[in-house]
């Protein structure tokens, strides 16, 4: 079977069924698609969260909604819900040169999530709410069944101000945690890595959040934050690498997506497969969402993580789990592969995957692919020029997915082996756009210039 034709420039890809060739390409930072080998279902550990915890996260968010609608004018219309639209993307599909025979492209527009401006609005905000709720119950600020708007009062805020939330971040997680914590009256400290963008630091400082800058990478910023808070009995550290609260906050997104798919009349079953492409940093956001989708759609949803060619930490973790990397002392980092973890996709610039996310999805995740930075910029520009949507570079990583599947040897062989080739025309491809709402205009203009240039260069 030859599969649908894909425009030549739509995605660079390679044929690499052979693990040693794949490893070679990975080390050379070439864009590639990895699919789980049939023989490999190494979970590492039992799933670290339960469906009941995800349900609790959904209920908690609903309890806080009336308070959030008061604290954030931008949430008034939604009654305090922080959600994003599901968008049809015919013009982008055309811009990408994706034939209808491959299926239909949609976008889950988390780049429009209010308050945080990125997918971190899901996990990060949930964890701050969970901490605030536990404090409020412990301090007697709330009784079970109370209207949470009570927490907006002066007495409650004065009490919460005695507590501190801290986090280590490349930027977006810090934004979501810092903005929500300060809105609730909690003190907040954000430890930023060297690659965090200056505008993200400025936005936090403008809200009274303490920003501590570190010379090192994301892992070092997290470690510094963790250490500093150990001494504070009234502190809570949001641990991006290990937090179940973040994870279930992300997972809850899947239930809302199901109602959106229903409303659009999009079926997901054996005859109508759903392919979801999720930009991946440490793995918590894509892992949580994939976990939720799997709970709902079982084997009919196929999740792929997307990473920069310089920061393929989840791919490295998957390959190590499948015995495809040379043995190492611990979980692999991208530095072990000789890569530098340097990418303009600051939301994805993470050297080592979350073991919690790996434990949750490692056993069944369908695949991971990598994208070169120039390709991220090119797709950012294509999305602007075709659909009028404004995203940040990290958020563009999902758009390479359908071409990898339908247009590469590896992808087509994988589809054939799973009996999916004949169902592609009825398939839905969902690119998850993960951030961008608050990118300053001048910064975005630079992205767009670079992207148009990249898109014009074969
Ligand atoms: C954080 C982030 C991701 C990925 O989330 P992880 O939990 O780090 O895997 C993707 N896109 C953007 C824009 C982000 O900020």
């Amino acid at each position: 079977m030859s599969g649908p034709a894909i425009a030549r420039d739509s995605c660079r890809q390679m044929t690499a069924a052979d693990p040693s060739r794949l490893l070679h390409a990975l080390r050379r930072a070439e864009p590639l698609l990895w699919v789980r080998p049939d023989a490999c279902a190494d979970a590492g550990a039992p799933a670290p969260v339960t469906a009941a915890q995800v349900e609790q996260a959904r209920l908690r968010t609903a309890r806080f909604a009336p308070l959030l609608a008061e604290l954030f004018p931008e949430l008034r219309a939604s009654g305090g819900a922080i959600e994003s639209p599901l968008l049809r993307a015919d013009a982008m599909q055309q811009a990408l040169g994706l034939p209808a025979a491959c299926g239909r492209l949609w976008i889950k527009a988390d780049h429009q999530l209010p308050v945080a401006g990125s997918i971190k609005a899901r996990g990060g905000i949930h964890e701050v709410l969970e901490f605030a709720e536990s404090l409020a119950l412990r301090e007697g600020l709330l009784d079970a069944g109370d209207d949470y708007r009570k927490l907006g009062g002066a007495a409650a805020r004065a009490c919460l101000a005695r507590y501190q939330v801290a986090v280590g971040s490349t930027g977006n997680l810090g934004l979501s945690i810092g903005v929500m914590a300060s809105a609730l009256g909690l003190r907040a400290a954000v430890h930023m890595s060297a690659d965090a963008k200056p505008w993200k630091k400025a936005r936090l400082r403008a809200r009274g959040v303490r920003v501590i800058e570190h010379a090192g990478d994301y892992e070092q910023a997290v470690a510094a934050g963790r250490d500093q808070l150990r001494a504070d009995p009234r502190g809570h550290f949001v641990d991006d690498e290990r937090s179940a609260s973040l994870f279930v906050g992300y997972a809850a997104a899947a239930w809302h997506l199901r109602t959106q798919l229903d409303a659009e009349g999009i079926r997901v079953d054996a005859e109508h497969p759903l392919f979801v492409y999720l930009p991946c940093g440490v793995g918590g956001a894509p892992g949580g969402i994939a976990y939720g989708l799997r709970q709902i759609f079982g084997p009919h949803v196929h999740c792929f993580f997307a990473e920069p060619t310089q920061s393929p930490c989840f791919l490295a973790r998957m390959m190590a789990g499948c015995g495809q990397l040379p043995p190492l002392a611990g979980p692999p980092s991208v530095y072990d592969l000789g890569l530098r973890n340097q990418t303009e996709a600051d939301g994805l610039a993470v050297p080592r995957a979350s073991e919690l996310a790996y434990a949750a999805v490692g056993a069944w995740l369908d695949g991971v692919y990598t994208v070169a930075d120039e390709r991220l910029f090119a797709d950012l520009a294509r999305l602007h020029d075709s659909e009028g949507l404004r995203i940040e570079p990290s958020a563009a990583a999902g758009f390479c997915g359908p071409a990898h599947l339908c247009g590469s040897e590896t992808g087509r062989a994988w589809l054939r082996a799973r009996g999916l080739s004949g169902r592609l025309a009825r398939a839905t491809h969902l690119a998850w756009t993960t951030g961008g709402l608050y990118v300053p205009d001048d910064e975005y203009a630079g992205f767009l210039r670079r992207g148009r240039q990249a898109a014009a260069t074969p």
Side-chain angles (χ1 to χ4, degrees), residues 202-340:
R203 194 174 163 87
L204 282 170
R205 288 189 170 122
R207 298 194 177 230
V209 173
R210 203 156 59 90
V211 176
I212 303 108
E213 299 179 55
H214 295 276
D217 69 1
Y218 156 87
E219 264 189 338
Q220 290 165 303
V222 171
R226 206 184 269 138
D227 277 354
Q228 204 184 64
L229 216 67
R230 204 163 278 148
D232 182 354
R234 289 207 173 122
H236 176 76
F237 182 67
V238 175
D239 198 326
D240 197 16
E241 294 172 323
R242 304 174 190 173
S243 165
S245 182
L246 280 178
F247 192 85
V248 296
Y250 291 121
W255 277 264
H256 188 255
L257 176 64
R258 174 169 62 179
T259 65
Q260 291 179 313
L261 291 167
D262 283 349
E264 295 288 351
I266 298 173
R267 286 164 59 184
V268 181
D269 55 33
E271 290 303 316
H272 302 82
L274 172 64
F275 298 95
V276 185
Y277 308 100
L278 296 150
C280 175
V282 73
I289 289 168
Y291 174 87
L293 290 171
R294 176 103 174 166
Q295 299 272 320
I296 294 172
F297 299 115
H300 309 312
V301 63
H302 306 279
C303 294
F304 290 83
F305 289 2
E307 299 187 303
T309 49
Q310 280 292 339
S311 306
C313 66
F314 214 88
L315 174 52
R317 186 64 188 89
M318 292 298 293
M319 289 178 73
C322 291
Q324 295 176 331
L325 285 192
L328 292 163
S333 89
V334 301
Y335 305 125
D336 294 327
L337 297 169
L339 297 171
R340 289 171 310 143

Side-chain angles (χ1 to χ4, degrees), residues 118-120 172 240 250 279-286 347-348 392 394-395 434-435:
S118 80
I119 195 167
K120 302 297 192 304
N172 284 341
D240 197 16
Y250 291 121
C280 175
V282 73
L348 314 180
E392 62 182 85
S394 299
T434 46

